Amino acid sequence: MSEPEKYTVGVARCESYDPQEVKGALALALERAGAPEAKGGSVLIKTNMLSPSEPDRAVTTHPEVLRALAGEMRKNGNAVHIADNPGYIFSDKGKLLRMTGVGALASDGVSVGLLSDLGFRSVGKDSFKTLREARISSRYLDAPFVINAAKLKTHVETEMSCCVKNIFGTADTATRKKCHASASQTALAEAITDLFVIRPPDFNVVDAVFSMEGDGPSYGKPRNTGWILAGANALAVDWAASAIMCYRDPLNIPLMAAAASRGIGPRDRSEIALVGAEWSDMPSWGFKKSTSLVWMLPVFLRGIAHGLVSLRPELARDGCVRCGVCGRVCPVDAITGEAGAYPVINRSLCVKCLCCHEMCPTGAMTVHRNFLAEFVVRFRKSG
Ligand code: SF4
Ligand code: SF4
């Protein structure tokens, strides 16, 4: 009996964003992954442009990786468009493109922009578990070939942000708020998976040259992890990426578990053919996961634990510029305050989604561990 076909993930070492090094490593990762030839004459590269942040903060996919990827796609004569929807409140397109370095990539045959530029369409699917319908970027839905160019980061709510999570950015603000309005980490994972299955990308590339560790996706620290990953199956690539973050069992990450249970990719590492390295080469030892503590518990306990051992937003007035962004992003309107005043959090409404922390432009909305969470951390350090 022949072996079942495996999900191939190609990986290549890349220590820096030196353009030549990135170009070589990306070409190697694509070759090892058996990247298909993009058809249709045009390619959409769905990048991660979460916020107007400089590339060295590791919040967004690095422009050198996007440049190299666009170059590979141009070899076949494809027109390339690089785009994303930033977090809800960043409406200044010029600033976003300038600060992320993506604006400078526009050249002959390569255009850049926002995924919202052609509007959104309502999509409903029988396979949805949490959402009834979602509004998704028309540009994304209609693209003949999509490459998902994710950044490897920690995430205070979903623990890891990589290929599957990156597709969250194809939805409009109202849909994303609906996903975040749930008090359960598992429900958020199911909602993101609902969005992913609408139109899975045709290919995936991960910028893990510098990844984000700590309290991502906005305020963690860059860490030189030194990899570029590529593969046709987003979940398989995420599996390899989770090894960089030292997860022993990636199915402990609710989003990975939700995606695997829907059959959109491997359910076990043995289903993946890792090309270019051994699994034991992948970990960046000592990698700091997010201080979201729920990941330490078995998946079946997480619904209960989310309310008990969880993090909550806490305002540090010193850094607050009273811009009102946190109030605008809160999916359940738990933040009030007069215009120009310090925000006030209504704890009885707050579902601890931490969107306010993620989107605060100054980092003044911090993450606070409760007593039980603190106890778990200390216990773990001494254990
Ligand atoms: S906490 Fe952050 S987002 Fe909220 S008002 Fe202050 S600076 Fe703005
Ligand atoms: S106050 Fe912050 S953490 Fe609480 S629900 Fe609103 S955005 Fe989420």
Side-chain angles (χ1 to χ4, degrees):
M1 222 168 80
S2 60
E3 286 241 333
E5 205 171 315
K6 293 192 174 188
Y7 297 100
T8 303
V9 179
V11 298
R13 291 298 293 175
C14 186
E15 302 291 346
S16 78
Y17 289 115
D18 170 76
Q20 288 311 315
E21 187 180 356
V22 172
K23 202 172 160 192
L26 179 78
L28 207 52
L30 293 177
E31 187 193 321
R32 288 169 172 169
E37 200 171 303
K39 297 187 186 99
S42 72
V43 173
L44 171 66
I45 298 179
K46 195 286 178 198
T47 186
N48 183 331
M49 247 193 309
L50 175 65
S51 62
S53 311
E54 295 87 356
D56 59 6
R57 283 191 53 215
V59 174
T60 54
T61 310
H62 199 281
E64 284 310 328
V65 174
L66 298 172
R67 189 193 307 279
L69 189 52
E72 287 290 332
M73 295 302 112
R74 288 290 296 144
K75 282 181 187 166
N76 299 326
N78 290 298
V80 174
H81 188 66
I82 304 171
D84 190 19
N85 280 327
Y88 319 147
I89 40 92
F90 299 112
S91 52
D92 187 340
K93 178 180 161 188
K95 185 178 177 189
L96 182 78
L97 294 174
R98 192 174 60 253
M99 287 189 71
T100 56
V102 172
L105 302 177
S107 60
D108 193 23
V110 180
S111 53
V112 299
L114 301 183
L115 279 179
S116 55
D117 62 351
L118 301 179
F120 295 87
R121 287 209 299 277
S122 291
V123 184
K125 266 200 166 231
D126 293 343
S127 57
F128 280 1
K129 277 201 175 168
T130 303
L131 300 173
R132 286 216 186 109
E133 64 160 25
R135 287 183 61 73
I136 303 295
S137 151
S138 294
R139 182 179 278 282
Y140 177 77
L141 291 173
D142 297 337
F145 195 90
V146 173
I147 300 186
N148 182 16
K151 181 80 179 174
L152 179 60
K153 298 189 285 183
T154 48
H155 195 292
V156 284
E157 188 66 354
T158 61
E159 298 172 32
M160 172 177 157
S161 177
C162 201
C163 296
V164 176
K165 174 67 172 63
N166 200 38
I167 297 306
F168 192 55
T170 62
D172 74 346
T173 297
T175 304
R176 288 198 263 176
K177 279 194 170 187
K178 238 185 279 171
C179 297
H180 274 299
S182 160
S184 141
Q185 201 184 25
T186 311
L188 173 63
E190 292 292 355
I192 295 170
T193 310
D194 282 347
L195 297 180
F196 181 87
V197 297
I198 292 169
R199 198 267 188 243
D202 300 289
F203 200 76
N204 307 273
V205 166
V206 176
D207 165 15
V209 179
F210 277 76
S211 306
M212 181 178 279
E213 64 176 3
D215 285 343
S218 299
Y219 289 105
K221 293 213 167 66
R223 161 105 183 225
N224 188 198
T225 44
W227 290 103
I228 288 181
L229 300 84
N233 185 276
L235 188 58
V237 180
D238 280 2
W239 204 293
S242 74
I244 296 172
M245 290 177 152
C246 305
Y247 278 97
R248 264 177 280 178
D249 181 4
L251 294 183
N252 269 328
I253 302 169
L255 183 52
M256 299 273 293
S261 73
R262 303 253 196 125
I264 64 167
R267 291 163 201 247
D268 191 272
R269 202 174 84 175
S270 64
E271 296 173 45
I272 302 168
L274 186 72
V275 184
E278 299 296 326
W279 284 99
S280 57
D281 299 333
M282 299 302 289
S284 277
W285 297 115
F287 189 94
K288 289 190 184 67
K289 298 184 175 83
S290 95
T291 52
S292 167
L293 302 160
V294 185
W295 65 267
M296 291 186 227
L297 300 166
V299 173
F300 72 93
L301 276 179
R302 291 184 179 183
I304 311 162
H306 191 260
L308 297 174
V309 189
S310 68
L311 308 166
R312 63 176 197 171
E314 200 72 57
L315 178 68
R317 279 196 171 203
D318 282 359
C320 178
V321 294
R322 293 176 280 175
C323 63
V325 161
C326 49
R328 296 210 298 282
V329 300
C330 178
V332 293
D333 296 328
I335 297 181
T336 54
E338 301 295 315
Y342 289 111
V344 177
I345 302 169
N346 181 338
R347 299 286 173 194
S348 63
L349 292 179
C350 174
V351 293
K352 299 173 184 166
C353 67
L354 300 178
C355 291
C356 51
H357 160 74
E358 186 178 331
M359 291 298 153
C360 172
T362 66
M365 196 58 90
T366 61
V367 173
H368 176 82
R369 294 178 190 142
N370 66 9
F371 171 76
L372 196 51
E374 201 59 51
F375 175 79
V376 173
V377 169
R378 284 182 193 196
F379 174 78
R380 213 173 143 256
K381 273 187 187 154
S382 60

